[in-house]
Amino acid sequence: MEMLLSTKGIAICLFFFVLSLAAAIEIPLSVTQLPTITEQSHTQVAYPFDEDFTIKCEAKGNPQPTFNWTKDGKPFDLLSDPRIVASNNSGTFVIQNRGIITNFQGKYRCFASNGLGTAMSEEIELIVPSVPKFPKEKIEPLDVEHGDSVILHCNPPKGIPPLHIYWMNIDLQHIPQDERVSMSLKGDLYFANVEENDSRSDYCCFAAFPRLRTIVQKMPMTLKVSRFKHANDSGSPNAAVTKANFIKERKPKLLIPPESAGSSSSVTVIKGGVLLLECIAEGLPTPHLSWVKVTGNLPKDEPETENFGKILKIDQVTAADEGTYQCTASNPMGRVKHEFHVHVEEPPRWIKEPEGGVYSIGTNLVLLCEAIGNPEPTIQWKLNGMPINNRTFRGRISAREISLTNLQLRDSAVYQCEASNKHGTILASANVNVLNIAPLILTSDGENYATVVGYSAFLHCEIFASPAADIKWTRDETIEPLSTLRYVLNENGTLEIKQTKKEDSGSYACWAANSVGKRAITANLDIRDATKVVVTPKNPRVLKSHSVLLKCQAEYDSHLKHGFKLSWRKDGDELPVNSTEGGRVILDRDTLFISSVALEDQGVYTCVASTSLDSVTAESHLIVLDVPDPPEDLQLSEHQNRSVRLSWKVGANHNSPVNESIIEFEENRWEPGRWQELTRVPGNDTTALLSLAPYMDYQFRVVSVNAVGRSQPSKPSLRYATPPAAPDKNPENIRVEASEPNEMVMKWEPLKPAEMSGPGLEYKVSWRQRGVEVDWNEETVRKHSLTLRNTPTFVPYEIKVQAVNNLGSGPEPNVTIGYSGEDVPDAAPSGVSVDVVNSTLVQVFWFGIPRDRVRGHLRGYKVSWWKTKSLLDGKRHHPEKHFLTFVGDRNYGMIPGLEPFSEFRLTVLAYNAKGDGPESSPIMFETPEGVPEQPRFLRILNFDKDSVTLSWGLPKKANGHLTGYILQYQIINETHEVGPLNDISVTNRSTLSWRLSDLSSSTKYKFYVKACTVKGCGKPVTEEGLTMAQGTYAGIYDGISTQGWFIGLMCAIALLTLLLLTVCFVRRNKGGKYSVKEKEDLHPDPEAQSIKDEIFGEYSDSDEKPLKGSLQSINGDIKATGSADSLVDYGEGEHGMFNEDGSFIGAYSGSKEKGSVESTGSSTATFPLHA
């Protein structure tokens, strides 16, 4: 049961009994102990190119051990040869490579001894190889007949394995080998039968010893192969020749194993090694070799053969490979067999090794030693490196066991067990140390330990004692026992505190005691706060080529800040701190930034927060989204005339499910290379039945679509051609076009290639005059139009167009109504009349022409007009026609933009697509007077400190009889406010100047002048000026000339006065800061006053409306609000737009006089606001 502990005052005592801790701990070197071999050499080769050879033997013990050596079982004195260099306090010695060193070859054993016993090493074999050489010999040429078998012997010299043998010619080209010619494992070259092309004088055997860095060559051998041999050696050209080698076919004969070996032989192989069985045969034709296992279990895999089937090879031999193997050499002449009885043996290996240890006085000892091998190994016990004498040894000894009872200090010794058979020897040593010492605490006293909350704390107390010591841990210098499951004592004396808490901090003591004595140490424990870490965002989903930023936030104990470290891992592998992949992946302590995310960036990113006490991680799974991979493995099935089934495999979706597959096709008959969409299927489908058109050679491809986008297209499928058929449809969009009155051109949209359905596509055109003809006229054409001539003008026809090809006709076509060619109208509108709306606008009425006189489709009517004279001066004008077009079948229209007080003529005509018909007879109408245009200029002629004289010009167009002028003025200043408006009426129309009095000095004024007729007053012309105390005035319009005169005058008086007045003038002449909108809203244009016409409801004649000082629009815009008709009533002119004063811009053709007054001394016509 676990109990709560206070931080002070309560002791924890954990008491544990341990049977034997000393046996598990290495004996401290300060304690008296037997020697132990710590390092030794193994089999070593003394290569001739090495400068020296080191034979190692190191040991430890107390007292320090001394070393002795034996060679081949006999004592070996390291001082016996000056080339041996020994080491102090070590058994290691070095043999210097000087002179002949073959006498050093042998098997060495090292013995390390002190007063307690002797340790013995394993045997160390030193091999001193000789330099391999082929003997110098004269090799007689071999003279053989065609078909004979031949063996070229290599007999390589002995050397350190591995040995590699090569047969080459003098140019170092390999001799070709095959079933007929091959090399044996011993290196001899075998010819199953020779051919004439085997003749050569440079058969060379090369033996390579890689470990000796040596390659040696045998003297070249000569082989002569002849087809015929002479019957005698007389050399006479007429000597009889016998065909001794005419036919030498024979059954196979084994060369390896030789016939002397009989029909079977035994082979022994070491377990774990490589089994090589070899059969080489001679014969003619060349024999073929085969292998079979006669007895025993068959191997799981087919046995591996080499050298053209002549060698059977089994790697890693096991006991299951034991048995009888048979090789068979066969040719058409017969066969021969040989059996190999394979025995698997193995060198000794341990089942149970003797184990030494530390023993206390009075205990018992049992050492076991068991080994297996094939043949059965023999076991030999040794004591301190010497065979045990059964007569003097006080214990019991057997082949597998040694036992001693009531051990004493004198029984300390090194026991060796050696297991041997013909394949090797193994050695095991057991140090039996009988000790009687008080506990030794190997851990330092006062050690400081720290861990974090929730982790386990480990307080070490490593003990060595004999007899074994009892160990207990206490806390806070008390021994009051307390049992708790959180405190565990390990076998090595370490105290483990599980799931630590803050209150576990404090001081602890470890006590060790046995029958000889008692020892103790203290340990201090600090508990720190655990480190916490979190990564944001947790599991981001990022589009490929976008960027992502991962942030790692960590909390840790302030005492651990010096050892705190952050690192990043991807899928378990640590990421380097520096930028990677050319700066694409950037680590900056707590942030990980990846720009242009790639698919390979997907994975689990782990932030590791480490301190000296703990390490915690937080993960974020980065998911990269991308378009799918292209579909694969397109297959066609269910082939039909008009359909085929397409199946495919979906590519990787890259974390975004495929929601749709687009099937595209390409056909090479009509539009090769052009891919077109055929159909779409839902994302889960991987097959689709495709509807196809006849007479097409298709291939298909598939595009996968997910939420990110479209994949690349798949590789195309195989092609699939559909058979031809009659057309499935007829042409569409049948229409009639004509450029001449007595012809009709029938046109239609041709069928697309996919709609032709077969070869020989044509169009059968049928037509008849509607209501006149009963029978159809027909004509078949290849193009998509047909022209008929000598047709009546503009009469209806019924038309049909049907698709036809070599396999039949399309469906019954629909009938379309079309008209023959048009001609211009031959009648003019009648009953033309004009209703004058105001001085610039009239409404025209007419009666339309009969339908049969239109001779085509009526497009509309055109109204033309021209000015004949001015009613003001009676002056006649050169006729300049203007026109407006009114679309559709209508009988009225509005004509805007006329000049007031003028006489006009007007005609109306009808038109169709062919052109204009005749005009109606001209009618005359007059426009009434209107308001005048702006006076040409306004100037200030004379000025004084309280008066000013104004002069103005006539309006460019009076638009009627002038009745006088209205003169207005008001004060303007540097603020947004303006003074009251003063009006003066000038009733004499001949008066063009006026003097104003009672003005304020040094004040800025604005002046307005506008001309008037009986219809009202027009737009004003304006001027601004400044009166001064001296009576000086500067005008805006003529400021430049006035200022020049003024500057010249002032220069004559004084330069200083000029500068002062110029500064004053500039500051005063910046203009008033009053609202432009307010200035524009002062006086309205009477012509722009809203009218309430019975047709439009948007114009009114302002003849009897006096000028008002209320706020009104002064820009003359025609407001469409409340209009009963749209602007279509005005017809279509050349531009069809209204300008600012409401006139219709471009409403008529030809030149047009400007309707605005050119200002010669005024700003834009604006009206002031009343203060």
Side-chain angles (χ1 to χ4, degrees), residues 838-840 872 898-901 927-935 955-965 1010-1020 1084-1089 1100-1107 1114 1116 1141 1155-1157 1167:
N838 58 32
S839 60
T840 61
L872 182 63
L898 300 175
E899 290 189 30
F901 209 42
T927 55
E929 291 187 58
V931 296
E933 292 185 358
Q934 196 178 41
K956 184 174 181 180
K957 291 185 179 180
N959 293 333
H961 297 291
L962 292 178
T963 60
Y965 298 90
K1010 51 187 175 181
C1012 302
T1013 65
V1014 294
K1015 290 294 185 178
C1017 298
K1019 293 181 179 180
D1085 183 357
E1087 193 66 47
Q1089 296 289 333
S1100 68
D1101 200 324
S1102 57
D1103 291 351
E1104 298 180 2
K1105 290 186 175 73
L1107 178 67
I1114 55 88
D1141 62 357
S1156 62
V1157 176
F1167 289 86

Side-chain angles (χ1 to χ4, degrees), residues 974 1004 1023-1026 1033-1037 1039-1040 1043 1061-1072:
E974 299 298 327
K1004 191 172 186 179
E1023 179 64 283
E1024 294 180 4
L1026 178 67
Y1033 179 85
I1036 298 301
Y1037 173 82
I1040 297 176
Q1043 192 176 24
L1061 292 180
T1062 301
V1063 171
C1064 180
F1065 169 74
V1066 171
R1067 294 186 60 186
R1068 290 278 188 166
N1069 203 34
K1070 288 182 180 179

Side-chain angles (χ1 to χ4, degrees), residues 736-740 742-748 765 767 779 781 783-791:
V736 175
E737 297 178 1
S739 60
E740 300 298 332
N742 299 115
E743 84 175 5
M744 181 171 67
V745 181
M746 294 171 282
K747 294 185 178 181
W748 55 89
V765 185
W767 71 92
E779 186 172 339
V781 296
K783 56 185 181 179
H784 51 280
S785 66
L786 176 62
T787 301
L788 299 182
R789 304 190 187 279
N790 301 320
T791 59

Side-chain angles (χ1 to χ4, degrees), residues 816-828:
T816 301
I817 304 299
Y819 285 82
S820 59
E822 298 185 31
D823 202 351
V824 296
D826 62 357

